[in-house]
Amino acid sequence: MKYNHEIQKRRTFAIISHPDAGKTTLTEKFLLFGGAIQTAGAVKSNKIKKFAASDFMEIERQRGISVATSVMSFEYNGILVNLLDTPGHKDFAEDTYRTLTAVDSVILVVDSVNGVEEQTRRLMEVCRMRDTPVIVFINKMDRDGKNRFDLLEEIEAELKIQLHPMTWPINSGKDFKGVYNLHDKNLVLFTAGTKAADEDVVELTDISVELLDNKIGEKDASLLREDVELVDGVHGELNVTDYLAGKVAPVFFGSAINNFGVKEMLDTFIRIAPIPRCRMTSVREVCPDEEKFSGFIFKIHANLDPKHRDRIAFLRVCSGKFERNKYFHHVRLDKDVRFSNPYTFLARDKDVIEAAYPGDVVGLFDTGNFKIGDTLTEGPNFYFTGIPSFSPEIFKEVVNKDPMKTKQLEKGLLQLTDEGVAQLFTQFGGNKKIIGCVGELQFEVIQYRLLQEYGASVEFRAQPYYKACWITSADHKKLDEFTKFKSNNIAEDKDGHLVYLAQSEWFLNTERTNNPDIEFHFTSEIHKETA
Ligand code: G4P
């Protein structure tokens, strides 16, 4: 328990949402509370409204290569909060999934007008897979949104999680008067504006007191009393253990742009959100209070300035103490490495640090040693599991337009796929290179970066696949036969693992039925577990 004090102080989380629900706005309010920024408007939205690689590049450049805003650390009421940013664009969803492996909890923002949208659904699936504790913020209550009961029902049904309201709204849109805090039993009156001090808190000894009628009018007061009776009857007190187990999600209503309802949520978050948790590795569970250091790389960010090829690898510290200039074991490469300029991300500035503790994220300069999922330890050989590659959704063959640059192209493809921009497959028994991505925009980014950074010119040829499944079998002979028989649909991933590329769900189901001895996996995780 050497570093227990440091561990108890830390909360590492991400804000997730469908684009436009208000993630950037909420992030900014958190940073204002944490004193990390002084003015509104300082956080640039990372959403990309136009679908073009050049826009993406320009945004990345403006954001200072995303590094400063990829992780935002600030102190609030004695707690060190590490907020991990997730990309706003759906084409970069896989980056978000990986970031979710590095956090201990999430805050999910739902737009009260639009309700649950596609991307929210998928992100929540990843949270559920990992039993990540979730707090829900229902945003834009200053707009005419859905009925509050209907909205909660929709979120529960769509996201398959039980909700527990912590505050209750009084109307919405232009009639929005504020929220009743079910936990502290006070009324928070809404005033438009962006100053936290604008919130008008009225203490109520009981919800039946006349003061409530004086503040919000008789009609709304009686409706609120009815609602609260109903909600209290159903939900009672929040069971924090159920929240920590990812079974129940506390819900807050508010308006991020008006900084309304944000402080209540942040205060609750500080109180109940999990401290750094234990994590599974290939051999056993590793807990933060273990003396020896361990951590993993969940994100790699390239320097978009072609003159500087270096990259930043983001390391999540899982146990022990990370120290500058100390040798740690790079498990995959089986070599010891040390870092003379590790970064932290306090107050949006990159600062060289001497030490970091579980829950922290450290930026490491990388010249090509790291891949997503790599583990660093203070000696032992294990891998952190649960950092899977998911099947891509769009597949394209890489066509080399400039044979003189073949070497550069190969290097570029390897490095870009190490960063997790896309997945690279090589046709089984052949040379055809196939790139798999989640969205079209990623192909544009790859094409642009291969040319800018490696001088390699490529085109892409669409491939008729819809999913990649990693295949294994206890019976090697059967796997060999299947691979030979289906060679047109078989490829190897970058680590040499066999992948079946299915043309459609029908083909996939047929192969699964016809080949009961072959196991089809939807993530690459299976290979890590046995590593
Ligand atoms: P995102 O990161 O999830 O994509 O969303 P972001 O915070 O950028 O918010 C999306 C839009 O919603 C922004 O407007 C923002 O001002 C607005 N918004 C955020 N919170 C609230 C709220 O509580 N109430 C209302 N009415 N609007 C809110 P925009 O016009 O797209 O951008 P901007 O020009 O305001 O920057």
Side-chain angles (χ1 to χ4, degrees), residues 511-530:
E511 295 305 347
R512 289 175 95 173
T513 315
N514 292 348
N515 299 281
D517 297 314
I518 310 279
E519 283 183 57
F520 293 76
H521 310 274
F522 291 97
T523 75
S524 63
E525 179 73 340
I526 179 77
H527 294 292
K528 276 273 176 65
E529 279 161 14
T530 51

Side-chain angles (χ1 to χ4, degrees), residues 17-26 45-47 49 88 139-143 254-258:
S17 75
H18 189 85
D20 270 349
K23 179 168 72 71
T24 310
T25 314
L26 184 64
S45 173
N46 66 355
K47 63 193 162 194
K49 294 205 163 153
N139 191 27
K140 305 196 187 180
M141 289 305 295
D142 59 319
R143 294 185 55 197
S255 168
I257 194 99
N258 291 295

Side-chain angles (χ1 to χ4, degrees), residues 2-235:
K2 211 167 161 188
Y3 308 118
N4 201 28
H5 175 68
E6 298 291 344
I7 296 166
Q8 295 295 332
K9 253 177 77 170
R10 281 162 169 80
R11 306 286 183 279
T12 302
F13 80 112
I15 302 179
I16 55 174
S17 75
H18 189 85
D20 270 349
K23 179 168 72 71
T24 310
T25 314
L26 184 64
T27 301
E28 181 167 285
K29 301 302 178 232
F30 276 1
L31 295 181
L32 283 167
F33 281 120
I37 53 170
Q38 269 68 48
T39 50
V43 179
K44 290 221 164 46
S45 173
N46 66 355
K47 63 193 162 194
I48 306 154
K49 294 205 163 153
K50 276 176 267 163
F51 281 67
S54 52
D55 293 338
F56 170 75
M57 293 299 156
E58 196 42 46
I59 289 167
E60 291 288 275
R61 220 185 295 276
Q62 282 173 11
R63 299 176 78 216
I65 328 158
S66 290
V67 169
T69 44
S70 280
V71 184
M72 291 157 273
S73 301
F74 60 91
E75 280 211 28
Y76 181 74
N77 287 353
I79 297 293
L80 183 69
V81 181
N82 294 313
L83 168 50
L84 274 52
D85 193 21
T86 53
H89 199 283
K90 75 169 176 26
D91 285 8
F92 295 88
E94 197 167 347
D95 204 17
T96 303
Y97 301 155
R98 283 190 298 253
T99 298
L100 292 181
T101 67
V103 300
D104 299 301
S105 70
V106 304
I107 289 181
L108 168 69
V109 185
V110 177
D111 181 331
S112 69
V113 183
N114 297 328
V116 176
E117 294 165 273
E118 182 54 31
Q119 210 165 319
T120 320
R121 224 170 271 131
R122 299 191 53 177
L123 291 169
M124 272 301 294
E125 272 172 33
V126 179
C127 291
R128 267 202 317 276
M129 264 163 61
R130 309 175 53 80
D131 296 326
T132 309
V134 179
I135 292 179
V136 178
F137 184 71
I138 300 184
N139 191 27
K140 305 196 187 180
M141 289 305 295
D142 59 319
R143 294 185 55 197
D144 286 321
K146 300 189 175 189
N147 171 291
R148 58 218 176 283
F149 284 106
D150 292 349
L151 193 59
L152 291 184
E153 211 175 287
E154 176 185 323
I155 299 174
E156 282 202 334
E158 293 261 9
L159 305 182
K160 301 185 185 68
I161 188 160
Q162 200 187 326
L163 299 181
H164 186 106
M166 301 295 284
T167 59
W168 195 255
I170 302 152
N171 303 326
S172 66
K174 61 177 177 11
D175 298 326
F176 183 51
K177 290 188 178 162
V179 294
Y180 175 69
N181 194 327
L182 294 154
H183 184 261
D184 297 338
K185 313 241 178 294
N186 58 24
L187 186 69
V188 191
L189 295 175
F190 174 68
T191 25
T194 53
K195 286 203 204 94
D198 280 353
E199 287 178 11
D200 193 359
V201 182
V202 182
E203 299 295 339
L204 300 172
T205 44
D206 190 288
I207 195 159
S208 62
V209 294
E210 217 182 304
L211 184 60
L212 182 67
D213 303 71
N214 298 342
K215 288 287 174 189
I216 61 173
E218 255 174 57
K219 192 167 145 265
D220 287 332
S222 89
L223 188 65
L224 178 68
R225 286 184 189 113
E226 272 174 39
D227 281 2
V228 168
E229 196 180 337
L230 205 66
V231 174
D232 263 349
V234 176
H235 297 281

Side-chain angles (χ1 to χ4, degrees), residues 355-500:
Y357 299 92
D360 284 344
V361 173
V362 181
L364 305 173
F365 271 118
D366 173 38
T367 48
N369 277 329
F370 283 122
K371 277 210 268 196
I372 303 271
D374 276 349
T375 297
L376 285 180
T377 72
E378 210 169 322
N381 272 323
F382 59 68
Y383 284 102
F384 281 96
T385 54
I387 313 139
S389 291
F390 292 89
S391 171
E393 287 165 19
I394 309 171
F395 298 84
K396 293 189 183 186
E397 180 190 346
V398 182
V399 182
N400 185 359
K401 287 205 322 192
D402 183 356
M404 299 294 285
K405 294 280 168 65
T406 305
K407 265 210 167 123
Q408 285 89 330
L409 171 62
E410 285 188 358
K411 184 169 176 206
L413 282 176
L414 284 180
Q415 292 203 340
L416 292 186
T417 47
D418 276 355
E419 277 174 35
V421 178
Q423 291 181 53
L424 180 65
F425 303 101
T426 308
Q427 180 192 29
F428 183 68
N431 231 340
K432 192 158 114 181
K433 298 260 184 286
I434 297 166
I435 285 191
C437 289
V438 181
E440 286 289 346
L441 182 56
Q442 279 161 305
F443 287 101
E444 283 184 46
V445 170
I446 293 167
Q447 192 177 35
Y448 179 96
R449 287 190 54 190
L450 281 173
L451 189 63
Q452 298 293 316
E453 295 169 37
Y454 301 89
S457 168
V458 297
E459 271 177 5
F460 294 110
R461 196 176 291 150
Q463 297 291 301
Y465 306 123
Y466 109 111
K467 214 159 230 153
C469 294
W470 283 264
I471 47 173
T472 56
S473 177
D475 186 337
H476 290 287
K477 210 167 141 249
K478 286 258 165 55
L479 189 62
D480 265 1
E481 275 169 19
F482 180 76
T483 310
K484 281 203 190 90
F485 192 57
K486 291 279 156 199
S487 62
N488 279 344
N489 290 70
I490 305 288
E492 284 180 359
D493 73 5
K494 264 176 76 176
D495 301 314
H497 298 306
L498 290 174
V499 171
Y500 169 70

